[in-house]
Amino acid sequence: RVAQGNKEALREIYEIHAKKVYNMIFNRFNDQYLADDMTQDVFLTVYDKSITFRGDSQVSTWIYRIAFNKCLDELRRRKKTSTHKPSYQILEYEDDKTSPVSLSTILVAIDGLKQSQKDAFTLVYLDKISQQEAAEILNMNIKAFESLLYRARISLQKILSKTKDS
């Protein structure tokens, strides 16, 4: 319906997916204005490219892939212009000072992962996207994705154990 110019259909898609897209972007850049702008840009792209949607995947997967690619584009742009490192946050949780490892320590450790592991880990655990959808977003089969996610958890565990020992 969006491909046929139905703006009501676009509004429905926006209402269903905008919060998750916004959180995905905010989790990577910790900038609400950038997240607002990029979220709008994602849905403009959805509207503009809706004619190219073939239905090979779920609409949500297609939208999150667009958002993920826009995040990668922004990271590349920032890498060219500065030494900015993304700072991940979890919107719903607060740092628990009583835990053996603080949330901020975990977020710094996530930044220490290889990019492919960081992408897999953040899609599943921070963006709360299913493993199947995350695999599709990263253009991987599910078994390869599960292996990547496993390696990410092991790497994160090693980074955190070094942090804990320090």
Side-chain angles (χ1 to χ4, degrees):
R1 292 181 7 224
V2 173
Q4 296 167 347
N6 185 329
K7 290 198 167 72
E8 179 63 24
L10 180 63
R11 187 183 64 72
E12 289 173 22
I13 286 175
Y14 180 85
E15 288 176 358
I16 293 168
H17 301 286
K19 185 175 181 182
K20 206 165 191 177
V21 167
Y22 175 90
N23 287 343
M24 175 189 285
I25 297 164
F26 186 83
N27 284 341
R28 282 162 180 73
F29 300 104
N30 192 24
D31 181 333
Q32 75 181 61
Y33 300 110
L34 179 65
D36 285 335
D37 288 345
M38 286 180 67
T39 299
Q40 288 178 1
D41 191 37
V42 166
F43 286 96
L44 286 172
T45 302
V46 167
Y47 183 74
D48 290 342
K49 305 263 185 201
S50 62
I51 195 77
T52 65
F53 179 67
R54 297 184 313 260
D56 296 343
S57 63
Q58 296 178 40
V59 172
S60 60
T61 303
W62 181 64
I63 292 169
Y64 302 142
R65 180 68 193 174
I66 291 169
F68 183 78
N69 285 337
K70 292 211 179 275
C71 287
L72 291 178
D73 291 345
E74 178 65 16
L75 287 170
R76 282 186 209 105
R77 185 190 69 73
R78 287 178 178 218
K79 196 173 191 177
K80 286 180 183 176
T81 60
S82 72
T83 58
H84 169 78
K85 276 193 98 173
S87 79
Y88 297 96
Q89 276 197 348
I90 302 175
L91 296 174
E92 301 95 44
Y93 305 112
E94 295 201 14
D95 204 351
D96 181 3
K97 301 292 183 197
T98 63
S99 70
V101 179
S102 72
L103 179 58
S104 58
T105 303
I106 294 169
L107 296 174
V108 168
I110 291 169
D111 276 341
L113 295 174
K114 292 179 184 174
Q115 189 61 50
S116 59
Q117 292 176 355
K118 187 186 310 183
D119 292 342
F121 189 88
T122 57
L123 283 169
V124 171
Y125 294 108
L126 298 182
D127 300 329
K128 298 180 181 154
I129 292 175
S130 73
Q131 288 187 21
Q132 181 63 47
E133 257 189 309
E136 290 176 30
I137 289 169
L138 296 176
N139 293 321
M140 301 176 78
N141 71 49
I142 189 66
K143 291 294 182 191
F145 181 81
E146 289 171 345
S147 176
L148 179 63
L149 189 59
Y150 174 77
R151 289 192 314 274
R153 288 192 305 260
I154 295 298
S155 296
L156 190 58
Q157 207 171 29
K158 287 178 184 174
I159 292 168
L160 290 171
S161 69
K162 287 178 187 174
T163 303
K164 194 175 172 184
D165 294 339
S166 310

